[in-house]
Amino acid sequence: MRKITFYISIICFIGLGSCTSYTTDKEIRTGVEKDVAYLADDKLEGRAIGTPGEQLAAEYIAAAFKKYGLEPKGTDGYMQPFNVKKATSPHEEAVIGDAEGGITGRNVVGYIDNGAENTVVIGAHFDHLGYGEEGSLYRGEKAIHNGADDNASGTAAMIQLARILKNKGKDKNYLFMAFSGEENGLWGSNYFSKNSTIDLGTVDYMINMDMVGRMNDEKTLAINGVGTSPVWMNKIEAANTDTLKLVTSESGIGPSDHTSFYLQDIPVLHFFTGQHEDYHRPSDDSDKINYHGMVKVVRLIERLVLSLDQEEKIAFTKTKDDSGDSPRFTVSLGVVPDYLYDGQGMRIDGVSEEKPAQKAGMQKGDIVMKLGDSTIVDMMSYMRALAAFQLGDETKVEFKRGEELKTVDIKF
């Protein structure tokens, strides 16, 4: 690789042919390590929306956009401030707009204008939970939630893609966005989708990276939203030259910022390397990030985007869960599902303290095969089964541990 890079540099230097700079894997890794280290540092105090730490993070991202030659595309330079008046009761929704008062957040928006007809949006949220007042799964003393994987990782990957596509992508325009307020309810992407600084009718598709920093030893990568355009699966498979283990789902609806664009009839993809026991806890720190895996995610998205660069705007398709019939449940087993598991049942990736599963002796790695009278074949059947129970109900859970089948009694 060093020789190839050297020869390319010499050819470009002496003016033989047209050249663009090539960003090496080592440069990408160095970049994501630096970005994650800054964004997940204690001095940013968890990057909660409306805090000084969130503002420092936004300024850091804007400086990176400027460094890599992106034009400002916010409403105030790179920034797109927005205001949120929080709900005062559980029956109200937060009001997101421009009015004074409430919480002020900021999206960070940079643009590569190639004079093209269509634009690709590549985004990631950069906010997190601050000291964990809302949304934390941690039950100890007050502590900073640095959110290295969630979502300093996605933000860092987005910055590196901006660096790469500034030099490589020539046949589409590219809008790069760091969203705030995602942890509170997709506030930033919701606001942008209704107050876009470009014509949303020109948007070809949207790529979202949320938690891409913990690739496992099996090199598993989840890609959600593959049903939002008929071209996705073939293009993704062709781009997967690193032979990652891909786990895909069709839905354009999910708990991250791509949802805001899908609801505007834009094809979307959400890249995700999986849940873990540090999720929404103070232990989600930069020393646990798989930076080598992050490079693989960046490269796959680079290949995917460039494979569509000279093609027409892709078709949008609605996904089958648009009716809003997702199961609603009022109880919890107290486990973190393994969203990357594609076998029979629902594999547990983590167990919460003092919850029904832990009290019954269930462990990380157990695979739930039956909940009450319902056979569990996948995540959706698990959710449907869970939705049938109320607080105080008792039932049995059948699960596999290795090759052994076990049954325990639980009480919600």
Side-chain angles (χ1 to χ4, degrees), residues 10-260:
I10 289 295
I11 290 169
C12 292
F13 178 75
I14 62 176
L16 298 178
S18 61
C19 295
T20 57
S21 62
Y22 176 78
T23 308
T24 66
D25 286 359
K26 183 178 180 181
E27 287 170 330
I28 294 171
R29 176 165 180 157
T30 299
V32 294
E33 284 191 28
K34 174 176 171 286
D35 295 339
V36 171
Y38 179 85
L39 294 169
D41 192 277
D42 279 356
K43 69 183 178 184
L44 269 63
E45 298 183 290
R47 310 186 306 278
I49 183 173
T51 64
E54 182 230 28
Q55 185 161 358
L56 284 173
E59 290 168 355
Y60 179 87
I61 296 161
F65 284 170
K66 183 176 182 180
K67 175 182 176 182
Y68 294 128
L70 277 66
E71 300 175 16
K73 205 64 175 176
T75 51
D76 181 14
Y78 289 102
M79 306 296 175
Q80 184 192 39
F82 60 93
N83 188 270
V84 184
K85 290 185 177 178
K86 295 185 71 174
T88 56
S89 84
H91 304 292
E92 296 179 354
E93 292 186 2
V95 178
I96 309 167
D98 299 307
E100 295 299 320
I103 301 170
T104 298
R106 53 199 55 79
N107 296 324
V108 191
V109 194
Y111 190 54
I112 299 173
D113 185 357
N114 289 319
E117 183 179 351
N118 295 316
T119 298
V120 175
V121 176
I122 299 177
H125 79 89
F126 72 96
D127 65 302
H128 197 52
L129 302 181
Y131 284 86
E133 289 88 348
E134 293 182 25
S136 176
L137 298 176
Y138 176 65
R139 296 296 175 262
E141 293 183 9
K142 181 178 177 180
I144 297 172
H145 290 54
N146 282 319
D149 187 29
D150 185 15
N151 185 35
S153 67
T155 304
M158 183 265 296
I159 290 171
Q160 291 306 304
L161 282 163
R163 176 186 187 180
I164 292 166
L165 292 171
K166 174 62 179 174
N167 294 311
K168 280 193 168 183
K170 299 300 179 187
D171 295 295
K172 298 278 173 75
N173 307 318
Y174 295 95
L175 190 80
F176 288 86
M177 292 200 62
F179 303 105
S180 190
E182 188 272 354
E183 298 286 8
N184 308 78
L186 314 186
W187 286 350
S189 57
N190 181 307
Y191 180 78
F192 181 85
S193 71
K194 295 165 184 172
N195 301 272
S196 177
T197 57
I198 63 168
D199 177 4
L200 281 187
T202 68
V203 174
D204 194 352
Y205 55 89
M206 190 269 181
I207 298 282
N208 178 36
M209 292 164 286
D210 192 353
M211 297 177 63
V212 294
R214 299 286 284 266
M215 185 175 284
N216 61 22
D217 292 340
E218 297 173 317
K219 299 196 301 181
T220 309
L221 176 64
I223 307 178
N224 304 312
V226 300
T228 63
S229 179
V231 310
W232 280 141
M233 280 310 303
N234 287 340
K235 289 293 184 180
I236 289 167
E237 288 169 0
N240 186 25
T241 57
D242 282 327
T243 60
L244 304 181
K245 180 183 176 183
L246 302 182
V247 177
T248 61
S249 71
E250 292 191 356
S251 178
I253 298 284
S256 193
D257 292 303
H258 58 286
T259 299
S260 299

